[in-house]
Amino acid sequence: DCLAPEYRRCLVRLSDGGRDAAIVREFDVEAKVFVDGGFELPEAKSGLVWADHDTLLVSTDWGGGTLTTSGYPYVVKRWKRGQPLAQAQELFRGIDSDVGVFPVSFRDRDGSELLLVQRAETFFESSFHVVDGNRLLQLPLPRRAEVIDYWAGQVIVSLQEDWSVGGHTYASGSVVSFPLATLLASGAMDAQTLYAPGLREAFQGFRGSKSVAWVLVSENVVTRAYRYAFERGAWRRLDAVDLPAGSQVSLGAIREDDDRAFLYAEGFVTPRSLYVAGREGAPRKIDEMPARFDASRTVVEQYEAKSKDGAKVPYFVVRPKDMEFDGSAPTLLYAYGGFQVSMTPAYSGTLGRLWLEDGGVYALANIRGGGEFG
């Protein structure tokens, strides 16, 4: 976790054997050494972010029963450089029945910061508190909502339940924004819609570059990327990023000082590929993983099964093009419905080489419990 904009001082997590608890030490990238007398935390399940060059916001095991029953910290403190850890100033305290309490940081394209304390009361429910100097201001958001970014002066929020504010109700699954400056000055939530889901759509991700925001949307289980702009105080969808049809798209690295972004695309029969895109025009392929099986005789289809209550449950079928529909084709059916984890098209050399090439059929069902539709 490196301090912008120089990215010279970094907080490095060192995990003994891959355990969740880790030691944290400050590292100087240019000098290639750990900083003598720098920030250092003993082994714990810690959360920490840079507030500035000489200040961290830290949640860790402070001793004296400061961990939740889940084993995560519920006290956040402000820790100054050169200050003994025991003298850090307490900012926020949750309770031991919380999942955990953690500091969160977002950096806008102009270099301004949004510092938050997130109190995770349950696995899916949180409250968010803006750190404004020594003042903490709780955001009046629903419990099933998440602050996901801070861009163009707007706090970006993903909703997992309806939210009524300012005489308007924003539907679950929507992404809304509000100006941080207005909130801090007057407490007003001047909210507006960035994205509202259509039928069988779900929001999947947001990242902002210099003048364009990149938004991922799942459309009937297949994710697409769109370019958005925030101009004259309003959001506007510019266009869709032109990537191969049927590909599952994800975001890679994005620059803050221009509008270049890396995007990944892959499918059941197309290896993972890396593209670079700008504010306008088609993306350019940079590289791709090698093909691990012969997909020339394979076709990908999508169908729906009607459940007992009438809901239409989508599923993919990957099969030989010349397959006889006589019920004899050996088939692997996979599904997972839980924790809002989506089952999406993905390339597998093992499945292709050892099953599809031999005439096997693979079916992936998007059963309920996942996040395909929010």
Side-chain angles (χ1 to χ4, degrees):
D1 179 13
C2 300
L3 178 63
E6 295 85 5
Y7 299 103
R8 173 172 179 171
R9 293 293 180 91
C10 302
L11 301 173
V12 178
R13 294 179 181 271
L14 301 169
S15 171
D16 185 3
R19 66 182 70 180
D20 289 343
I23 294 169
V24 181
R25 297 180 66 187
E26 184 180 4
F27 189 78
D28 187 320
V29 175
E30 291 187 10
K32 299 181 175 59
V33 295
F34 287 104
V35 177
D36 186 22
F39 291 114
E40 184 169 348
L41 280 178
E43 186 178 72
K45 296 179 182 179
S46 302
L48 66 169
V49 297
W50 292 99
D52 57 48
H53 181 272
D54 296 316
T55 313
L56 302 181
L57 300 186
V58 180
S59 62
T60 190
D61 183 358
W62 303 100
T66 56
L67 297 180
T68 67
T69 53
S70 298
Y72 293 95
Y74 65 83
V75 176
V76 174
K77 297 186 179 184
R78 180 185 282 117
W79 186 23
K80 294 287 188 179
R81 184 179 298 278
Q83 184 181 49
L85 187 60
Q87 295 179 11
Q89 174 195 4
E90 182 171 320
L91 282 178
F92 187 92
R93 178 177 291 261
I95 57 177
D96 62 3
S97 60
D98 293 335
V99 173
V101 178
F102 309 98
V104 182
S105 173
F106 297 104
R107 184 172 186 268
D108 201 353
R109 55 189 181 182
D110 64 359
S112 61
E113 296 272 358
L114 171 62
L115 294 175
L116 299 166
V117 173
Q118 178 182 5
R119 179 190 176 195
E121 299 168 44
T122 70
F123 193 79
F124 290 115
E125 297 174 315
S126 293
S127 61
F128 291 86
H129 308 256
V130 177
V131 180
D132 182 27
N134 290 321
R135 177 179 68 145
L136 261 69
L137 177 63
Q138 182 173 347
L139 297 178
L141 299 172
R143 290 163 60 87
R144 290 176 61 87
E146 183 180 2
V147 178
I148 58 173
D149 214 329
Y150 173 52
W151 189 74
Q154 299 283 307
V155 181
I156 316 296
V157 178
S158 173
L159 300 176
Q160 284 86 52
E161 63 178 280
D162 291 353
W163 181 37
S164 296
V165 64
H168 184 82
T169 297
Y170 300 92
S172 176
S174 299
V175 179
V176 300
S177 75
F178 57 87
L180 178 62
T182 303
L183 175 72
L184 295 179
S186 65
M189 298 287 288
D190 187 13
Q192 62 176 295
T193 300
L194 188 160
Y195 163 81
L199 186 65
R200 300 176 80 77
E201 285 187 4
F203 169 76
Q204 295 294 319
F206 174 98
R207 296 277 298 281
S209 54
K210 184 177 181 180
S211 69
V212 67
W214 307 82
V215 177
L216 297 182
V217 177
S218 173
E219 299 175 351
N220 202 29
V221 190
V222 178
T223 300
R224 298 189 70 189
Y226 292 91
R227 287 175 278 222
Y228 278 67
F230 187 74
E231 298 170 344
R232 293 182 290 277
W235 292 100
R236 181 168 65 93
R237 179 184 282 189
L238 300 176
D239 60 0
V241 182
D242 185 17
L243 291 165
S247 297
Q248 187 68 17
V249 179
S250 58
L251 288 170
I254 289 178
R255 291 187 65 107
E256 299 172 351
D257 57 351
D258 66 29
D259 283 324
R260 282 177 291 172
F262 282 133
L263 299 102
Y264 295 98
E266 67 178 300
F268 289 111
V269 295
T270 54
R272 183 177 174 89
S273 299
L274 176 65
Y275 293 82
V276 64
R279 180 185 170 96
E280 299 175 340
R284 178 170 56 91
K285 183 186 284 190
I286 299 297
D287 206 349
E288 64 182 347
M289 297 293 289
R292 298 299 183 185
F293 64 96
D294 180 7
S296 62
R297 294 178 290 115
T298 305
V299 64
V300 178
E301 299 166 322
Q302 189 180 30
Y303 298 97
E304 291 177 338
K306 191 174 182 179
S307 65
K308 292 180 180 179
D309 63 1
K312 294 180 179 180
V313 180
Y315 64 97
F316 294 96
V317 174
V318 189
R319 64 170 180 86
K321 294 178 180 178
D322 58 356
M323 184 186 78
E324 296 289 338
F325 287 86
D326 58 5
S328 66
T331 303
L332 291 173
L333 170 63
Y334 185 78
Y336 178 84
F339 299 99
Q340 295 183 7
V341 176
S342 302
M343 294 289 101
T344 56
Y347 189 80
S348 169
T350 303
L351 183 69
R353 179 67 63 85
L354 302 181
W355 188 252
L356 298 176
E357 277 193 357
D358 288 340
V361 177
Y362 178 66
L364 178 66
N366 303 107
I367 66 175
R368 283 177 280 189
E372 287 88 342
F373 299 133

